């Protein structure tokens, strides 16, 4: 359970950082409305949307995400790797980063 809270806190931290980056790009675009600044702003908005969609899915589909996590654990136990397909967004855990 602690790992789930830590993961949610990490997801929120990444989302807040994405908001800060998008805000900085918006300010740069207001100061100098160039094509480059517009593209950079759009890129940061897309990253923010991705982070927020992952959080939104987990909040509204907690049971489905948990079932898929259990499927990943079972697949690792049986074949040594995560399940090949997930319907819910991938959660970025430190354990996944260690896996080859």
């Amino acid at each position: 359970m602690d790992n789930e809270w830590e993961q949610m806190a990490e997801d929120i931290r990444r989302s807040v950082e994405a908001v800060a980056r998008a805000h900085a790009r918006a300010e740069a675009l207001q100061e100098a409305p160039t094509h480059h600044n517009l593209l950079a702003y759009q890129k940061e908005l897309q990253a923010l949307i991705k982070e927020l969609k992952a959080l939104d899915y987990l909040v509204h589909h907690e049971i489905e995400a948990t079932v898929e996590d259990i499927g990943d654990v079972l697949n690792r136990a049986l074949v040594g790797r995560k399940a090949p397909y997930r319907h819910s967004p991938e959660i970025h855990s430190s354990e996944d980063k260690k896996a080859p």
Side-chain angles (χ1 to χ4, degrees):
M1 184 70 167
D2 288 338
N3 189 33
E4 292 173 10
W5 285 109
E6 289 173 12
Q7 186 60 53
M8 183 62 80
E10 175 64 19
D11 291 344
I12 293 168
R13 183 195 61 76
R14 277 197 324 270
S15 295
V16 169
E17 287 177 355
V19 168
R21 288 191 310 269
H23 180 70
R25 292 296 184 173
E27 288 179 340
L29 181 61
Q30 287 176 340
E31 291 174 11
T34 65
H35 181 69
H36 173 73
N37 285 343
L38 176 62
L39 291 177
Y41 177 61
Q42 289 172 333
K43 180 180 176 184
E44 291 301 336
L45 283 181
Q46 289 171 349
L48 173 59
I49 289 168
K50 180 180 176 184
E51 294 293 341
L52 293 177
K53 279 183 178 180
L55 278 176
D56 181 67
Y57 187 91
L58 292 175
V59 167
H60 290 97
H61 300 91
E62 180 181 0
I63 293 173
E64 292 93 342
T66 302
V67 168
E68 287 189 351
D69 289 343
I70 292 169
D72 279 344
V73 169
L74 287 173
N75 207 58
R76 280 183 203 255
L78 296 173
V79 276
R81 61 181 180 275
K82 294 188 319 182
Y85 174 77
R86 286 184 66 99
H87 179 71
S88 63
E90 184 77 27
I91 296 178
H92 315 285
S93 70
S94 57
E95 180 182 318
D96 289 341
K97 292 175 185 174
K98 293 177 187 175

